[in-house]
Amino acid sequence: MPPRRPSLHDLETGLRAGRRATLSRAITLAESTRADDQALAQELIARVLPETGNAVRIGLTGVPGAGKSTMIEALGVWLIEHGHRIAVLTIDPSSARTGGSILGDKTRMQRLSVRDEAFIRPSPSSGVLGGVARRTREAMLLCEAAGCDVVIVESVGVGQSESELAELVDTFCLLLVPGAGDDLQGIKRGIMELADVIVVNKADGDNVVPAKRTAGDYRHALRMLPPATPGWTVPVLTASARDGAGLAEIWDAIDGHRTLLDGAGLLARRRERQQLRWLRGLLREAVLQAFHELPGVADALADAESAVAAERATVPQAAARVLEASGLRATV
Ligand code: GDP
């Protein structure tokens, strides 16, 4: 038997009081595909919206094994010791697509997860309404309403989810390891262009010198790129998540970036742009789905595809036929 659905009032009160169980429940509702759960979740989010938006929203990405979870744990504990309440959310497109996850069952961030000041939400495996970024965005709002003042969104999508991540956060951090070149680290130029802060992790033991060299290489490479934030010089730091070295410097860099965004009025603009793109994206998805469900469209599309494959029609002609069959007054 699933637990009784909580009332809107209980959810709102629990959330405002910062109760982790309520937060968890609210996120589950927002992830649900049931219409009544969705309605409740949206009503709740609408009510607490004025309490959201105050957190420092950090995105962290890097190839598997770079040390993301070790870093989040180290930085998270450090932040808690400095008076913060943090949330950790994960974008894992692999889980939405396959029902499995790159993260598998490994228990991550054990030291952080036992702290009351931390809220860690593992990625749901499947059945989530409307895209990986949407559920993370709504989870982020709920975490903020529950009093988290730092939200770390981790992307484990390896090359697929970075731009989605950048759409969600204020400061985008790229985690690298010493030694390997761009290709080996799977870091594409596009990802470098998104970065606001770069950290070369595992700068410990024999890796201290290679880490410094790698940082220098990246500093050099960055000179060729425009910064993601105008007026901001992307810092390239070295750190050891294992030893907890360099954490204060990482936070200073994130905080400095945030201060710059705030001071120049860029934060509000950036978030507004993200919201508007989300609005348009949601509408695009919904309209497209409704289009495919119109009577006649599926058959017309199948015909159009074979006509294109057999070179019996040009692509615009084929598209026009599908539109005509749909009854929509649209032209290509
Ligand atoms: P993720 O896949 O990016 O989340 O990487 P993990 O945090 O799971 O770390 C991958 C491996 O690297 C683990 O064996 C960690 O113990 C190790 N690791 C992480 N950070 C450091 C570090 O700062 N120094 C060293 N030497 N090893 C680290």
Side-chain angles (χ1 to χ4, degrees), residues 181-311:
D182 291 10
D183 292 346
L184 280 173
Q185 300 208 19
I187 302 302
K188 298 195 193 69
R189 189 188 148 97
I191 300 173
M192 287 275 287
E193 283 176 354
L194 293 172
D196 298 305
V197 175
I198 294 181
V199 180
V200 182
N201 188 35
K202 306 196 184 183
D204 44 49
D206 292 343
N207 269 327
V208 173
V209 174
K212 286 199 176 129
R213 201 178 314 126
T214 303
D217 290 347
Y218 274 91
R219 252 177 238 124
H220 186 74
L222 279 170
R223 282 196 217 123
M224 321 288 175
L225 296 176
T229 308
W232 174 250
T233 307
V234 176
V236 184
L237 309 168
T238 58
S240 169
R242 189 194 68 186
D243 299 348
L247 301 177
E249 289 77 7
I250 294 173
W251 181 247
D252 278 352
I254 292 167
D255 197 43
H257 182 248
R258 165 70 179 227
T259 304
L260 177 100
L261 286 179
D262 254 341
L266 293 171
L267 185 70
R269 284 229 294 280
R270 189 168 180 146
R271 288 185 174 181
E272 191 181 301
R273 228 177 22 240
Q274 291 171 340
Q275 291 279 90
L276 295 184
R277 275 202 290 260
W278 184 26
L279 173 67
R280 287 175 187 207
L282 269 187
L283 281 172
R284 199 164 38 237
E285 271 174 42
V287 168
L288 194 62
Q289 183 167 349
F291 173 76
H292 283 289
E293 286 165 2
L294 286 173
V297 164
D299 288 344
L301 186 58
D303 289 347
E305 282 173 354
S306 28
V308 166
E311 298 187 338

Side-chain angles (χ1 to χ4, degrees), residues 87-108:
V88 180
L89 306 171
T90 308
I91 298 189
D92 180 1
S94 64
S95 68
R97 244 165 254 146
T98 64
S101 165
I102 293 180
L103 302 176
D105 293 329
K106 108 177 137 148
T107 313
R108 306 164 92 230

